[in-house]
Amino acid sequence: MEDNEILKTLSNELLKGAKMLSTHCPKCGYPLFEKDGKTYCPVCEKFKNEVEEIEKNKIERDSKAVDKKVDINRILIEKINYLAMKLKDESEIGRIKEIGEALYVLIKIKKKIE
């Protein structure tokens, strides 16, 4: 957090009616504040909130990545089914081998992502 941002945070607390105390935060060294009987460090709280927001965004990104994994799984199943239908109708040995190899690779990938 930049100095200007810290000063802005501290000033906002004063504007909200908080009282700046003569004691300092043991973590960051900035003055502690008191409001409604609660003593707190606005700098650490703001930092904590920013960290929580970053973690929340990471969880959302990870969740979207899981959704993409589901899409990949669905695509693999569709391709495996497509190739299985092609294999069923194929009579040429070379094409049977190609389709079989492709199926083998797709099934192997599918097992790895599960």
Side-chain angles (χ1 to χ4, degrees):
M1 203 182 300
E2 293 181 24
D3 287 342
N4 286 341
E5 197 174 344
I6 291 170
L7 289 175
K8 210 183 266 189
T9 300
L10 298 176
S11 299
N12 284 337
E13 292 304 310
L14 291 171
L15 290 172
K16 292 178 190 174
K19 180 172 85 173
M20 186 186 301
L21 304 176
S22 61
T23 55
H24 293 80
C25 176
K27 289 182 184 177
C28 69
Y30 284 97
L32 293 173
F33 282 70
E34 182 182 12
K35 185 175 180 187
D36 300 327
K38 178 187 168 199
T39 301
Y40 61 98
C41 174
V43 176
C44 288
E45 281 193 11
K46 181 172 175 122
F47 179 72
K48 183 179 108 184
N49 291 338
E50 288 175 359
V51 168
E52 287 173 356
E53 185 68 26
I54 290 167
E55 288 176 358
K56 179 183 163 199
N57 290 339
K58 183 183 181 306
I59 290 169
E60 288 174 5
R61 281 193 312 274
D62 291 348
S63 174
K64 288 177 184 175
V66 169
D67 289 345
K68 287 180 183 177
K69 182 179 178 183
V70 171
D71 289 343
I72 291 170
N73 196 37
R74 181 184 53 80
I75 291 167
L76 286 170
I77 290 170
E78 288 175 5
K79 295 299 180 186
I80 290 168
N81 289 334
Y82 171 78
L83 287 173
M85 293 303 292
K86 287 290 188 183
L87 185 60
K88 178 182 170 192
D89 297 333
E90 189 58 59
S91 59
E92 186 184 317
I93 300 294
R95 288 286 300 146
I96 292 171
K97 182 181 177 191
E98 285 176 4
I99 294 169
E101 288 171 350
L103 278 168
Y104 175 78
V105 169
L106 290 174
I107 291 168
K108 196 172 179 180
I109 292 169
K110 186 177 177 306
K111 285 181 180 178
K112 282 191 177 196
I113 67 167
E114 288 180 335

